[in-house]
């Protein structure tokens, strides 16, 4: 009675392994398929129990026909309690073998097709191989042909686990992989399970049930049971630890799936020999089985075998190893087959191969016939929706939310909002946040639409050349410029309104690519009435989903073209004004030199103040007259414009005069000359302000400024001296601006430094010219192009540098040490005061805490280096 009770208890433990398989497989599958996976686990359990009672037990343990098949015990009705307990126990084994297939083919096999696999497995494949290996087990005299040869598989590493794995392999090949699991030239896509903690719970239930699996296989409760249970415990733990170490080495983290399958592989591997090995060897078998399972799983991936839970590697790979371990490590006296280890190994290999041929072959052949009757795999749409819905109609909040998103993605209707039945669920919270995002997106689109609709420029979107360059949207300004209604433009080709470059008319894609690269373009446009007009356009590429979409922004530049013609006519007058201003500036410089010379001995600060006072009056006069001059110019341009409007056909003499004065160039140059005059006058006023504040440096404004902008401003003031150098070719200014940040400084004072140094450079180049260094009539001296080089760069996070160099005659070495002394100058008497560089030195060194030095080689030029702290 004790043995019967032991078998019943072990049967109950194996029964709860079904719960373990359900938790394990449901957790390793995606949530949209978890219900289907659980349903397959329960249905295969019920079908396997019924079929095993009807015929499976008879084929496996009925009276043997020549060791190949059982012939009695159909619709089993055992006549003893011992046989009844044995029937219950073996029924649990059959259900375990069948449920192995469930996880391997999860997420894509039809429910009815899976039932047929379970029918085949429970009624034929498992009982038939079980007869060959275990028939007569209940009496202690094996009658199956494999058992008689000496094949040993104590609790079913091959009989249960490998048979289930090879049947699963055949099913996977027939059904095919999940959509998106394998793609060409890409690593296999890893599909994450929905609930790994649920899978870990399943592992613990299976591990607990394995005590009944292996312990019950002893059939009696004797002194061997504790060793069997200990070996089972140790092997599972060894597989777990071994897999964890392997995963950490291979993936840098202990992946949960690897830990689970490593433990299961250890349990599968010890199942065949748990009664005949020592605890130390049980650890070796379990640890090795886990590694073999991981290797086998990667091998199957390489052949694009999509095993969702790794069942084939765990139950097949580790099952084969566990069966071989019987011969390698099993104690011969306990095995009791009378075979040597080599002979035992041969029999074990024969059993493994026989199991593969039967389970794989029968399942593959059976499914080949079945797929001619009904599809084995769900459709792509059903697989995408999830088998919870397609196979069982189990609609969830998440499914309804995803359906809403799909509907919105197809309709592009941002006014739709997700329905929230319960805002306190995870899906409700997600839907609420999604609705909030839609509100913000719709708001942004409304703002964008408002900007586009009210923009002054025309905005048109159009399709790529392959789709005909058709206009898809246009704003009101585009319709107004083209002289039609917005709806008239839709679906018309863009080249109906814009003239493409002549050489590219035949290849619109080439034209579009060129326009995208070059930014702004001046093109010829056609209005609705086919009249031409000049336009400026820029084209950009974007994407609407996966489809390219192009945007063109354009404006009518007719008025701009006309303004150019009018401004060109004023060129001579502006040049005359500029000459007067240059003459005035020259006189102001002479006055400054005279004042400095006169007040030299009265003290530097007092002299500078006097110069500032003297300069202020004339420059105020000049600055005050610039604005009236600009107003007069505007009146003149307006008069010219009115003349052109009302006298479209002027006399020939006026037309000839218009061409003679190059009206278009005059119109382009007119604003630049005016601006140059204004900037020059403003700069002189800044100079006056700097001179006034020189003796009170603390009063200057300390602020952020761009040094390259300040240098360009100085070059603009010096433009006339640079461009009209001794009536010869202009001085070549080479600029190499590094990417300088804004620095805190006294911009007006630094501008004075730049002005002083560059004026000195120009003076030096003029002096060299006067001694025939650039005299074209001199055959002895090589001709040189006068040149000033300006370079800015960041030396370090704390310092920036400005270097100004010329290729003039240079400075003698004896003068370099005195170059920054007050009143020292190398210029002829009356040409310099000797204060410019002294003031510059004070501004850089004392005021900005920087450095100023001069480097020079006689005959090659001079180079002034300014280093400023990057504050």
């Amino acid at each position: 009675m004790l043995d019967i009770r032991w078998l019943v208890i072990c049967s109950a433990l194996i029964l709860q392994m079904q719960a373990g398989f359900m938790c394990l497989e449901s957790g390793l599958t995606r949530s949209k398929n978890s219900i289907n996976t659980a349903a397959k686990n329960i249905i295969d359990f019920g079908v396997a129990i019924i079929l095993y009672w009807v015929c499976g037990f008879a084929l496996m343990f009925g009276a043997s026909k020549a060791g190949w098949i059982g012939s009695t015990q159909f619709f089993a009705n055992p006549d003893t309690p011992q046989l009844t307990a044995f029937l219950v126990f073996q029924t649990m084994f059959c259900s375990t073998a069948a449920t192995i297939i469930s996880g391997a083919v999860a997420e894509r096999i039809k429910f009815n097709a899976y039932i047929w696999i379970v029918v085949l497995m429970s009624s034929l494949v498992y009982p038939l191989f079980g007869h060959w290996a275990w028939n007569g087990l209940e009496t202690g005299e094996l009658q199956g042909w494999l058992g008689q040869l000496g094949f040993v598989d104590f609790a079913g590493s091959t009989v249960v686990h490998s048979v289930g794995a090879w049947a699963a392999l055949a099913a996977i090949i027939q059904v095919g992989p999940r959509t998106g699991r394998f793609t060409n030239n890409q690593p296999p896509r890893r599909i994450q399970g929905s609930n790994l903690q649920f899978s870990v719970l399943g592992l613990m239930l299976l591990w607990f049930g394995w005590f009944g699996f292996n312990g019950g296989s002893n059939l009696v409760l004797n002194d061997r049971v504790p060793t069997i249970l200990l070996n089972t415990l140790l092997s599972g733990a060894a597989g777990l630890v071994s897999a964890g170490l392997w995963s950490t080495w291979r993936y840098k983290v202990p992946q949960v799936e690897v830990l689970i399958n490593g433990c299961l592989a250890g349990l599968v591997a010890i199942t065949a020999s748990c009664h005949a090995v020592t605890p130390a060897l049980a650890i070796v078998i379990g640890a090795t089985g886990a590694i073999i399972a991981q290797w086998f799983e990667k091998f199957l991936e390489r052949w694009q075998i999509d095993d969702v839970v790794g069942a084939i590697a765990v139950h097949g790979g580790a099952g084969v190893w566990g069966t071989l371990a019987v011969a390698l490590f099993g104690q011969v006296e306990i095995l009791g087959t009378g075979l040597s280890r080599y002979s035992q190994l041969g029999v074990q290999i024969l059993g493994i191969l026989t199991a593969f041929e039967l389970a794989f072959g029968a399942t593959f052949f059976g499914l080949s016939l079945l797929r001619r009757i009904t599809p084995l795999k769900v459709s792509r749409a059903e697989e995408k929706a999830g088998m919870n819905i397609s196979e069982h109609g189990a609609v969830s909040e998440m499914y309804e939310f995803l359906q809403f998103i799909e509907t919105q993605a197809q309709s592009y209707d941002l006014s739709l909002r997700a329905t929230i039945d319960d805002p306190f669920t995870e899906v409700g919270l997600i839907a609420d946040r999604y609705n909030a995002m839609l509100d913000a997106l719709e708001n942004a689109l409304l703002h964008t639409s408002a900007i586009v609709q009210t923009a002054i420029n025309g905005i048109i979107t159009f399709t790529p050349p392959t789709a005909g360059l058709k206009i898809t949207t246009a704003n009101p300004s585009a319709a107004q410029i083209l002289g039609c209604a917005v709806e008239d433009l839709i679906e018309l080709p863009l080249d109906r309104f814009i003239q493409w470059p002549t050489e590219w008319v035949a290849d619109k894609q080439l034209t579009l690519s060129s326009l995208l690269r070059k930014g702004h373009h001046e093109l010829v446009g056609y209005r609705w009435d086919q009249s031409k007009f000049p336009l400026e356009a820029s084209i950009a590429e974007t994407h609407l989903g996966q489809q390219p979409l192009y945007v063109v922004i354009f404006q009518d530049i007719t008025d701009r073209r006309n303004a150019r013609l009018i401004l060109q006519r004023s060129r001579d007058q502006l040049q005359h004004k500029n000459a007067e201003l240059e003459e005035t500036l020259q006189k102001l410089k002479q006055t400054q030199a005279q004042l400095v010379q006169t007040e030299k001995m009265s003290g530097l600060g007092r002299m500078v103040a006097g110069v500032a006072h003297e300069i202020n009056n004339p420059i105020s006069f000049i600055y005050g007259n610039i604005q009236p001059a600009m107003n007069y110019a505007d009146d003149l341009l307006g008069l010219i414009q009115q003349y052109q409007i009302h006298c479209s056909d002027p006399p020939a003499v006026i037309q000839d005069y218009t061409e003679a004065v190059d009206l278009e160039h005059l119109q382009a140059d007119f604003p630049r000359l005016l601006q140059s005059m204004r900037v020059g006058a403003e700069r002189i006023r800044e100079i006056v302000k700097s001179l006034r504040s020189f003796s009170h440096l603390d009063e200057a404004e300390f602020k952020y400024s761009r040094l390259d902008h300040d240098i360009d401003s100085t070059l603009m003031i010096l433009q006339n001296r640079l461009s009209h150098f001794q009536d010869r070719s202009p001085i070549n200014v080479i600029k190499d601006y590094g990417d300088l940040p804004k620095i805190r400084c006294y911009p007006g004072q630094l501008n004075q430094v730049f002005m002083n140094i560059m004026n000195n450079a120009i003076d030096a180049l003029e002096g060299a010219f006067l001694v025939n260094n650039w005299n074209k009539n001199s055959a002895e001296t090589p001709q040189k192009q006068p040149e000033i080089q300006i370079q800015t760069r960041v030396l370090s996070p704390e310092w920036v540098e400005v270097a100004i160099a010329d290729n003039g005659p240079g400075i003698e070495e004896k003068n370099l040490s005195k170059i920054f002394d007050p009143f020292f100058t190398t210029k002829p008497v009356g040409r310099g005061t000797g204060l410019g560089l002294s003031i510059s030195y004070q501004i850089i060194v004392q005021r900005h805490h920087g450095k100023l030095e001069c480097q020079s080689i006689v005959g090659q030029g001079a180079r002034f280096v300014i280093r400023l702290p990057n504050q």
Side-chain angles (χ1 to χ4, degrees), residues 455-460 474-486 489 497-498 524-537 552-558:
I456 297 175
N457 291 340
I459 303 175
I460 286 176
N475 71 338
S477 293
Q480 182 179 1
I481 294 173
L482 298 177
C484 60
V486 171
L489 297 174
F497 302 98
I498 296 179
V524 176
Y526 294 96
R527 303 189 198 277
W528 188 260
D529 59 6
Q530 289 298 296
S531 60
K532 295 183 179 181
F533 69 99
L535 63 83
E536 183 181 73
V552 57
I553 302 175
F554 63 96
Q555 60 178 325
D556 185 347
I557 58 172
T558 302

Side-chain angles (χ1 to χ4, degrees), residues 308-577:
V308 176
V309 301
I312 299 173
V314 169
H315 299 277
V320 167
W321 161 245
T323 305
L324 295 176
V326 171
L328 297 176
F329 304 115
Q331 299 179 50
V332 176
E333 62 276 11
I334 296 178
L335 297 180
T337 61
L339 300 175
S340 67
R341 288 199 182 273
Y342 290 109
S343 299
Q344 187 67 54
L345 182 62
V347 172
Q348 298 297 107
I349 293 174
L350 175 63
I352 291 168
L353 295 177
T354 302
F356 178 82
E357 291 175 359
L358 174 64
F360 181 85
T363 306
F364 192 87
F365 177 73
L367 290 178
S368 298
L369 297 178
L370 181 62
R371 71 185 305 169
R372 297 182 181 181
I373 303 172
T374 181
L376 303 179
K377 188 177 181 180
V378 297
S379 67
R380 184 181 292 264
E382 291 174 328
E383 185 180 354
K384 181 180 179 181
M387 298 178 66
N388 294 349
I389 296 165
S390 63
E391 293 286 289
H392 308 287
V395 178
S396 64
E397 280 185 311
M398 179 59 72
Y399 174 75
E400 292 177 343
F401 178 62
L402 294 176
Q403 286 295 103
F404 161 75
I405 294 177
E406 184 70 22
T407 301
Q408 191 170 60
Q410 294 176 358
S411 66
Y412 297 103
D413 185 358
L414 294 180
S415 65
L416 298 178
R417 294 295 182 270
T419 302
I420 303 175
D421 295 328
D422 185 353
F424 301 105
T425 64
E426 290 183 359
V427 176
L429 183 60
I430 293 172
D432 179 64
R433 293 296 85 202
Y434 183 77
N435 287 343
M437 182 194 70
L438 288 178
D439 291 338
L441 179 59
E442 189 174 23
N443 228 6
L445 289 177
L446 289 174
H447 281 94
T448 303
S449 177
I451 293 171
V452 171
Q453 294 300 313
T454 58
I456 297 175
N457 291 340
I459 303 175
I460 286 176
T461 62
F462 61 96
T463 61
T466 53
L469 296 173
K470 292 182 180 179
I471 296 174
T472 55
T473 63
N475 71 338
S477 293
Q480 182 179 1
I481 294 173
L482 298 177
C484 60
V486 171
E487 54 268 20
D488 295 333
L489 297 174
I490 307 305
E491 291 298 317
L492 290 178
L494 182 66
D495 50 358
R496 158 74 170 74
F497 302 98
I498 296 179
Q499 185 181 70
W500 297 82
T502 306
E503 65 272 21
W504 292 334
V505 170
D507 192 341
K508 294 180 180 179
Q509 182 62 52
L510 177 62
T511 304
L512 185 59
S513 299
S514 175
L515 295 176
L516 285 169
R517 286 196 303 270
K518 293 184 179 179
H520 291 278
H521 315 273
E522 289 194 7
L523 303 171
V524 176
Y526 294 96
R527 303 189 198 277
W528 188 260
D529 59 6
Q530 289 298 296
S531 60
K532 295 183 179 181
F533 69 99
L535 63 83
E536 183 181 73
S538 62
I539 300 178
E541 180 181 7
T542 184
H543 285 80
L544 187 62
Q546 299 296 322
Q547 298 300 320
L549 183 69
Y550 298 90
V551 181
V552 57
I553 302 175
F554 63 96
Q555 60 178 325
D556 185 347
I557 58 172
T558 302
D559 292 339
R560 186 194 301 175
R561 289 274 181 92
N562 292 336
R564 290 176 185 171
L565 296 174
I566 296 171
L567 292 174
Q568 183 64 29
R569 295 174 185 172
S570 302
R571 179 182 179 186
D572 291 338
Q573 296 177 5
L574 290 173
Q575 288 178 339
H576 178 69
K577 294 290 184 183

Side-chain angles (χ1 to χ4, degrees), residues 59-60 67-69 126-135 142-149 151 354-355 358:
L59 296 177
M60 188 169 179
W68 287 93
I69 193 169
Y126 173 74
L128 193 57
F129 187 78
H131 183 91
W132 298 346
W134 284 350
N135 183 268
L142 296 177
Q143 301 297 318
W145 67 272
L146 268 176
Q148 290 181 345
L149 288 176
F151 179 74
T354 302
L358 174 64

Side-chain angles (χ1 to χ4, degrees), residues 88 111 117 222 239 270 275 348 390 446 452 456 472 519 545 649 700 744 769 826:
V88 172
F111 193 74
I117 295 175
N222 57 22
I270 197 61
H275 68 303
Q348 298 297 107
S390 63
L446 289 174
V452 171
I456 297 175
T472 55
D649 188 16
R744 293 192 71 194
F769 178 82
T826 60

Side-chain angles (χ1 to χ4, degrees), residues 743-744 798-800 844 848-851 867-871:
I743 67 170
R744 293 192 71 194
E798 293 79 24
W799 290 92
V800 298
I844 296 300
H848 287 86
H849 306 290
K851 300 177 182 178
R867 294 187 179 91
L868 296 170
N870 184 12
Q871 300 178 352

Side-chain angles (χ1 to χ4, degrees), residues 138-274:
E138 71 280 12
T139 63
E141 294 183 7
L142 296 177
Q143 301 297 318
W145 67 272
L146 268 176
Q148 290 181 345
L149 288 176
F151 179 74
V152 175
D153 185 2
F154 181 73
S157 287
T158 290
V159 176
V160 178
H161 296 284
S162 290
V163 166
W166 305 142
L169 176 62
I172 289 175
I173 294 174
Q174 287 285 358
V175 175
R178 291 168 288 178
T179 302
R181 177 76 167 90
F182 303 105
T183 55
N184 293 332
N185 303 320
Q186 294 291 333
R189 174 191 168 202
R190 182 185 178 191
I191 300 177
Q192 184 66 52
S194 61
N195 195 332
L196 292 183
Q197 57 267 44
F198 205 50
S199 296
V200 172
L201 173 62
L203 167 65
M204 298 305 296
L205 291 173
L206 288 171
W207 202 345
F208 178 61
W210 229 286
F211 288 145
F213 205 89
N214 288 357
S217 295
N218 195 51
L219 300 182
V220 294
L221 184 59
N222 57 22
D223 55 359
R224 289 203 308 177
V225 171
T227 300
I228 293 171
L229 298 183
L230 177 61
N231 288 342
T232 302
L233 184 66
L234 291 175
S235 186
L240 178 66
V241 173
S242 174
L245 294 174
W246 185 89
S247 176
T248 303
W249 169 76
R250 179 71 182 272
Y251 304 116
K252 310 305 179 187
V253 292
Q255 293 184 355
V256 177
E257 299 95 325
V258 176
L259 295 175
I260 293 172
N261 284 343
C263 181
L264 291 176
L267 292 169
V268 169
I270 197 61
T271 297
S273 61
C274 58

Side-chain angles (χ1 to χ4, degrees), residues 101 105 109 112-122 167 171 175 363 367 370:
I101 306 171
V105 295
I109 192 170
N112 59 351
Y114 176 71
I115 292 176
W116 281 111
I117 295 175
V118 175
V119 170
L120 179 65
M121 185 71 180
S122 304
V175 175
T363 306
L367 290 178
L370 181 62

Side-chain angles (χ1 to χ4, degrees), residues 813-833:
E813 185 176 357
K814 64 180 182 180
N815 293 328
L816 284 177
S817 61
K818 299 180 291 184
I819 197 70
F820 298 116
D821 292 346
F823 307 113
F824 178 81
T825 179
T826 60
K827 298 179 182 178
V829 177
R831 291 295 299 271
T833 64

